[in-house]
Amino acid sequence: MKKTLVLLLLVSVYSATAQENRSITTAVPFLNIAADARSAGMGDMGVATSADAYSLQWNAAKYAFAERKMGFGISYTPYLENIVTDVALLNANYFNKLNDRSAFAFGLRYFGLGEVELRQTIDEEGTTVKPNEFVLEGAYSLKLSRQFSMAVSGRFISSNLKFPLDPSVDSKAATAFAVDVSGFYYSPEIAYNNYDGRWRAGFNISNLGSKIAYDQGGQENFLPANLKLGVGFDFILDQDNVLSLTTEFNKLLVPTPQDFNEDGQIDSQDNERYQQISFLEGVFDSFNDAPDGFGEELKEVTWALGAEYSYQNAFMMRAGYFNENELKGARKFFSLGAGFKFKATQVDLSYLFSTSKIKNPLENTLRFSLTFNLGEEFFND
């Protein structure tokens, strides 16, 4: 008999550990893990922060406002570090400004789950496999005015989590394509009574794409499509000191699991009907399908607050808070971060403290990012 093992990731960001079965699960949840230390240090946010090399994950429209001609960044995020040592998220991004109005970027995110030994009985010799997931992505950003830009991004997703215990069984990675549409507003510097300031705002509709399946003709899973909205303000206290405050809201554009036949539980028939929802239909349904109405829809919105203090654009300190409702995943945490810049090189670190009763897989984890900003400078006033 043909047997196949599908690895069910306990590291899912949207796991079923919520108090009710109304938490929303998706495929490839690693796409929602903050892959760089700067964003992680501010509560996993980046849709309305200033541009950096890692904007591809958060809001590619920011690249049009990058201050240098090109940049390259690499980052490392250990995962489930308190349990295993070989699970991690790696990220590499490159951007290049074609001129003052436009830019392009490419990136790779690789989520390795280390080595897993498979066996059908305790006496059988095990087979070692290395499950992994990765994303190849690219984007083009263009200023539509001096203060506003938009971008279109595309990504190829591969999830290699399925391995046959029978060598005669063909096993392939599940794949999908997705696109993002994003926008970014970056105001000119404004003079106030005691300081100068600058407004920032952004949106990103991300991971819009067909559902992903591990078996041909089998169950299809939604990609983690998201709507991110954010706004921020830079307090430019003087030429050396800048304090940036940002808030961000996120709504998963995936339908809520429901008891369609109203028998008091979500059973196989409900799951079968849920599977028939197309990804596009699911995007629109996600705004009005919560069983308890608008109040529950609001519970599906996560929010974050973040702050970044910069001294002479060479030393940065960061802090953030992220909140998710207890019935929808219960992720709640504080984060701290710091950055150091010397000439064209910048190093960023971040650390996470969970405030939820549910264990966070990134709790007490130190993340690293290294960025190189090269070429001529651009001024965005």
Side-chain angles (χ1 to χ4, degrees):
M1 181 177 63
K2 294 183 179 180
K3 293 183 179 180
T4 303
L5 176 66
V6 178
L7 298 178
L8 300 177
L9 287 182
L10 297 178
V11 296
S12 171
V13 177
Y14 295 97
S15 65
T17 54
Q19 298 172 14
E20 294 184 2
N21 192 24
R22 291 183 184 174
S23 58
I24 302 174
T25 60
T26 72
V28 290
F30 82 99
L31 292 177
N32 288 325
I33 302 173
D36 67 285
R38 183 193 178 209
S39 298
M42 292 186 284
D44 283 14
M45 67 165 56
V47 74
T49 55
S50 59
D52 61 21
Y54 304 99
S55 297
L56 192 55
Q57 178 180 4
W58 306 100
N59 185 348
K62 297 193 299 183
Y63 284 122
F65 289 93
E67 296 181 349
R68 300 298 289 267
K69 163 68 175 174
M70 67 181 70
F72 175 74
I74 53 175
S75 62
Y76 173 75
T77 300
Y79 208 78
L80 292 171
E81 193 174 33
N82 294 330
I83 302 175
V84 294
T85 59
D86 57 354
V87 178
L89 175 64
L90 304 176
N91 182 31
N93 283 348
Y94 169 80
F95 77 88
N96 192 311
K97 293 195 69 170
L98 300 173
N99 48 53
D100 184 56
R101 298 185 60 238
S102 62
F104 68 88
F106 295 101
L108 167 67
R109 277 179 278 168
Y110 177 85
F111 190 41
L113 286 95
E115 295 185 349
V116 178
E117 189 176 84
L118 308 179
R119 63 178 69 201
Q120 299 187 65
T121 66
I122 192 171
D123 297 323
E124 180 183 279
E125 183 178 353
T127 301
T128 300
V129 297
K130 296 182 178 181
N132 64 82
E133 299 176 296
F134 71 86
V135 168
L136 291 172
E137 50 195 340
Y140 176 74
S141 174
L142 176 67
K143 284 185 182 179
L144 303 182
S145 70
R146 292 183 62 86
Q147 280 79 50
F148 181 72
S149 64
M150 290 193 69
V152 176
S153 308
R155 58 178 52 91
F156 169 76
I157 304 164
S158 174
S159 180
N160 189 19
L161 304 180
K162 181 179 176 181
F163 302 94
L165 296 178
D166 184 342
S168 64
V169 177
D170 185 25
S171 177
K172 296 181 180 180
T175 59
F177 293 91
V179 298
D180 298 358
V181 178
S182 57
F184 184 62
Y185 172 78
Y186 195 64
S187 81
E189 192 171 315
I190 305 170
Y192 295 93
N193 290 334
N194 299 318
Y195 56 87
D196 292 346
R198 188 193 304 271
W199 288 97
R200 294 171 279 103
F203 75 88
N204 188 16
I205 305 172
S206 62
N207 299 321
L208 295 175
S210 59
K211 294 195 282 187
I212 190 170
Y214 290 90
D215 290 301
Q216 186 174 0
Q219 177 176 313
E220 294 182 327
N221 301 282
F222 287 97
L223 297 178
N226 277 281
L227 170 63
K228 291 183 182 292
L229 301 171
V231 63
F233 185 78
D234 298 331
F235 293 88
I236 306 173
L237 306 177
D238 54 45
Q239 64 179 2
D240 293 330
N241 298 276
V242 178
L243 175 63
S244 301
L245 302 179
T246 309
T247 185
E248 182 174 303
F249 300 89
N250 180 80
K251 175 72 167 68
L252 196 65
L253 302 181
V254 176
T256 306
Q258 299 185 48
D259 179 14
F260 291 104
N261 53 25
E262 299 182 351
D263 61 356
Q265 61 181 352
I266 298 179
D267 53 27
S268 59
Q269 291 182 344
D270 296 314
N271 289 329
E272 183 177 349
R273 182 172 173 182
Y274 184 79
Q275 289 297 317
Q276 294 174 354
I277 302 174
S278 67
F279 89 90
L280 189 58
E281 180 185 0
V283 169
F284 291 101
D285 286 351
S286 66
F287 290 101
N288 60 5
D289 66 346
D292 287 344
F294 184 69
E296 185 174 346
E297 291 291 350
L298 291 179
K299 293 177 181 178
E300 294 181 354
V301 177
T302 65
W303 57 268
L305 296 172
E308 180 179 53
Y309 166 73
S310 174
Y311 176 70
Q312 293 186 344
N313 199 30
F315 172 70
M316 287 71 69
M317 295 186 63
R318 307 181 183 103
Y321 178 74
F322 180 94
N323 183 82
E324 182 177 55
N325 188 272
E326 288 82 357
L327 301 180
K328 297 297 178 176
R331 289 175 296 157
K332 302 175 185 287
F333 57 84
F334 285 103
S335 61
L336 296 175
F340 310 89
K341 182 184 293 186
F342 179 74
K343 294 184 179 180
T345 304
Q346 180 172 329
V347 178
D348 295 296
L349 310 170
S350 70
Y351 196 79
L352 183 149
F353 304 87
S354 177
T355 60
S356 173
K357 295 179 181 179
I358 296 177
K359 188 76 171 179
N360 191 306
L362 289 165
E363 188 169 1
N364 301 323
T365 296
L366 189 64
R367 297 185 239 192
F368 303 87
S369 294
L370 177 64
T371 307
F372 302 93
N373 294 299
L374 308 170
E376 64 181 296
E377 291 191 50
F378 290 84
F379 300 94
N380 296 305
D381 289 322

